[in-house]
Amino acid sequence: MIKRLIDRLRGRTPPTRPVLKLNVIARENHPISRRDISSAAVKTLYRLRDSGFDAFLVGGGVRDLLLGLHPKDFDVATDATPEQVKQVFGGQCQIIGRRFRLAHVRFGREIIEVATFRAHHSQAEGEGHGRTSDDGMILRDNVWGSIEEDAERRDFTVNALYYNIADFTLWDFAGGLADIEKRQLRLIGDPETRYREDPVRMLRAIRFAAKLDFSLEQATGEPIRRLGDLLDDISSHRLYDESQKLLVSGHSGRVLELLQEYDLFRHLFPQGIPDGTSARLLALTADSTDQRIADDKSVNPAFFYAALLWGRLQEQYARLVDDGMPPVPALQQAGQRVISRQTTRTAITRFTAQTMRDIWEMQPRLENPRPRQVDALLVQQRFRAAYDFLVLREASGEDTGGWGAWWTRYQDADPGLQAELLRALEKSGSSDGGASSSNGTPSRKPRRRGPRKRKPAAAE
Ligand code: ATP
Ligand code: MG
């Protein structure tokens, strides 16, 4: 408080600083109950309180409980510094982050993030703890503050609701409850200033709008189209993290729509929006990703990226083959090119990149299997992903010669039928490019040397 007063006298307070008004809701007037909070989070809150600190549940955990959703994690805010949190939890606790220092408290497999109340800081306060670039972007965000100040620097009003473990009250600083009621996202403070401080907030707006089915309040949505370029200054690692969250939001279909509506797509994916069957492939991939998340299954980011870049890969491939490169190296090189172009915006781990290439490079092999390779292909590590990819390509309307359906049939067949399918495949080997035979073998792709328009040819 005193520091704030001194800052104000020195004229350091940013002019757009929002003035928040605290509204405390008694425990009987809100629906949040300890039973709905993970026991790890409850223990963390109590341990902090018993050690003499303030301890609140904040962020997505509180927001999602108020909306009747299951929070994916619980964040704790406290007046204890990360070092003090470490003292309380000892070996269970690890201090992480540089740009944003916080404590991770571990309970078995669950990790509770414990963040110290932070203050907004202006450029002049530079040295060491907080740093802002000349154009207002926050570079380091480690100036400790009061809970009011902590609320001011959070992004959306619905993310600035605090549940107090001391008396089970709910503290609403920014009118977040009213916005939950209206199902809208509203930035705290002046939207443009808040996006300039941290452009990733634009992507967070899209993610929460999709995930919660909220609208963007007018003043919060309006600047995004104008300010998208600011994302170009964000590190590819941070954008990878954020795109990852967009992808596993469980609403990636809606996310893709909103990214286009707010003209942010090209800032994450510089090779542009796919069109034609590639656009349908991406939409189908988004649907199946969302379905997998709804079913609590794992999702593979490589698969998503493979679908997203498939159209561009085919163009590059066609160009290389036109220039006389043989199909196999052309496909490899095209893959290399589209991946490295993408990594200028979002980092892609080496493992993810390898998986993407495996999925792509298996497509021509699945579209032109030799009978003797069939069983070997089936047990390859990437078969499942590559097969799923082929099936989605087929569903998107791409001409795959019906091989997706063939592989489905083969896998479902008993050994007798499998042997029959292989014999039919053997026979069809001689009829290059013929129509589907009566025994259900799709036409083989003609083995061309020359270019094939926008489609990888057989890899052999
Ligand atoms: P979820 O965990 O469901 O994705 P969340 O709201 O909890 O959503 P986190 O990224 O876990 O999001 O962040 C926790 C809280 O920290 C947010 O609710 C918000 O109050 C604050 N926060 C996170 N990132 C930012 C940011 N870039 N700018 C301002 N506040 C932020
Ligand atoms: Mg969270």
Side-chain angles (χ1 to χ4, degrees):
M1 267 306 158
I2 292 178
K3 183 171 166 296
R4 210 161 138 184
L5 193 65
I6 296 173
D7 282 352
R8 204 161 282 164
L9 291 174
R10 286 187 187 156
R12 279 181 178 178
T13 311
T16 51
R17 192 167 189 147
V19 183
L20 300 184
K21 203 169 135 275
L22 174 61
N23 180 18
V24 177
I25 297 106
R27 86 186 278 190
E28 58 276 15
N29 294 330
H30 68 74
I32 293 183
S33 142
R34 273 164 297 167
R35 264 180 323 215
D36 302 325
I37 305 171
S38 80
S39 72
V42 172
K43 279 185 211 151
T44 305
L45 291 164
Y46 274 124
R47 288 264 291 277
L48 285 167
R49 194 204 57 168
D50 294 345
S51 308
F53 297 107
D54 292 339
F56 292 82
L57 193 70
V58 67
V62 179
R63 179 197 67 215
D64 291 356
L65 286 180
L66 288 169
L67 286 165
L69 303 170
H70 287 291
K72 75 171 171 43
D73 52 40
F74 290 95
D75 302 301
V76 168
T78 178
D79 58 348
T81 64
E83 288 71 23
Q84 288 170 324
V85 177
K86 173 96 191 155
Q87 270 167 19
V88 172
F89 293 94
Q92 236 179 317
C93 170
Q94 205 187 352
I95 298 177
I96 61 144
R98 209 174 100 83
R99 183 183 169 281
F100 195 91
R101 251 154 63 78
L102 49 81
H104 272 179
V105 181
R106 184 179 281 282
F107 294 82
R109 276 168 53 196
E110 190 173 352
I111 289 178
I112 303 296
E113 278 193 9
V114 181
T116 307
F117 295 145
R118 279 167 165 74
H120 233 104
H121 49 83
S122 59
Q123 252 154 283
E125 286 173 73
E127 320 90 45
H129 302 299
R131 219 146 67 76
T132 310
S133 72
D134 292 341
D135 45 14
M137 194 156 103
I138 295 174
L139 302 175
R140 203 168 298 157
D141 196 1
N142 293 316
V143 177
W144 311 142
S146 65
I147 186 168
E148 291 86 351
E149 289 172 312
D150 191 75
E152 280 177 14
R153 52 148 287 284
R154 288 186 183 267
D155 47 9
F156 302 99
T157 62
V158 297
N159 286 347
L161 291 158
Y162 296 72
Y163 172 77
N164 189 356
I165 198 65
D167 59 4
F168 316 118
T169 52
L170 185 65
W171 294 22
D172 179 3
F173 285 97
L177 273 177
D179 286 332
I180 283 193
E181 206 64 21
K182 290 188 206 153
R183 302 188 74 84
Q184 69 174 10
L185 286 169
R186 186 162 56 90
L187 270 174
I188 298 172
D190 170 56
E192 179 156 348
T193 310
R194 301 307 309 279
Y195 289 135
R196 286 189 183 281
E197 280 172 2
D198 183 4
V200 168
R201 288 174 185 149
M202 294 187 274
L203 297 174
R204 290 175 59 84
I206 301 296
R207 173 156 63 92
F208 294 132
K211 173 179 144 168
L212 307 172
D213 193 19
F214 271 31
S215 61
L216 296 190
E217 179 255 350
Q218 201 275 335
T220 295
E222 181 277 322
I224 297 182
R225 265 179 221 91
R226 273 189 291 119
L227 300 178
D229 285 350
L230 295 172
L231 283 172
D232 300 344
D233 294 330
I234 302 296
S235 81
S236 63
H237 288 98
R238 197 155 173 235
L239 286 185
Y240 179 75
D241 284 349
E242 205 51 45
S243 58
Q244 206 57 3
K245 290 183 191 168
L246 290 168
L247 175 62
V248 300
S249 61
H251 301 268
S252 63
R254 181 75 183 130
V255 161
L256 291 172
E257 283 169 17
L258 288 170
L259 284 176
Q260 290 174 52
E261 186 180 330
Y262 285 93
D263 195 23
L264 295 179
F265 192 93
R266 64 198 169 97
H267 297 289
L268 280 183
F269 309 111
Q271 293 168 97
I273 302 165
D275 52 16
T277 55
S278 313
R280 278 199 292 284
L281 173 67
L282 180 58
L284 290 172
T285 302
D287 285 349
S288 87
T289 303
D290 295 344
Q291 189 55 52
R292 287 186 67 88
I293 290 185
D295 297 342
D296 244 345
K297 291 187 189 155
S298 67
V299 302
N300 184 350
F303 193 93
F304 199 91
Y305 274 100
L308 187 83
L309 298 175
W310 177 244
R312 296 295 170 249
L313 172 89
Q314 288 176 297
E315 285 166 14
Q316 291 282 343
Y317 171 83
R319 216 164 288 155
L320 292 169
V321 170
D322 268 341
D323 292 345
M325 192 181 279
V328 172
L331 188 54
Q332 287 169 350
Q333 201 173 110
Q336 203 81 33
R337 281 190 190 172
V338 293
I339 289 174
S340 70
R341 192 75 209 282
Q342 178 58 36
T343 54
T344 60
R345 292 318 299 132
T346 64
I348 290 181
T349 63
R350 205 177 291 196
F351 178 76
T352 299
Q354 186 55 53
T355 309
M356 291 163 70
R357 278 198 291 266
D358 290 345
I359 291 172
W360 290 335
E361 287 167 23
M362 269 181 88
Q363 297 307 304
R365 300 177 64 194
L366 296 183
E367 286 175 72
N368 203 352
R370 296 181 170 280
R372 259 186 254 160
Q373 288 175 341
V374 165
D375 289 315
L377 281 168
L378 268 177
V379 296
Q380 281 210 3
Q381 198 196 358
R382 293 287 165 237
F383 173 79
R384 193 76 224 167
Y387 158 75
D388 286 344
F389 197 80
L390 176 64
V391 168
L392 286 188
R393 284 172 57 212
E394 211 155 280
S396 78
E398 202 186 316
D399 174 19
T400 61
W403 283 100
W406 187 90
W407 281 101
T408 305
R409 189 160 176 228
Y410 186 82
Q411 290 174 86
D412 291 343
D414 59 38
L417 180 56
Q418 284 189 338
E420 206 178 295
L421 286 168
L422 287 183
R423 273 196 300 277
L425 191 59
E426 190 95 52
K427 271 195 224 143
S428 77
S430 52
S431 62
D432 242 12
S436 280
S437 60
S438 56
N439 50 29
T441 307
S443 59
R444 280 190 175 281
K445 297 221 159 166
R447 285 161 199 268
R448 296 193 191 185
R449 287 206 176 278
R452 161 175 281 163
K453 201 169 158 265
R454 304 193 64 192
K455 182 181 284 184
E460 260 181 2

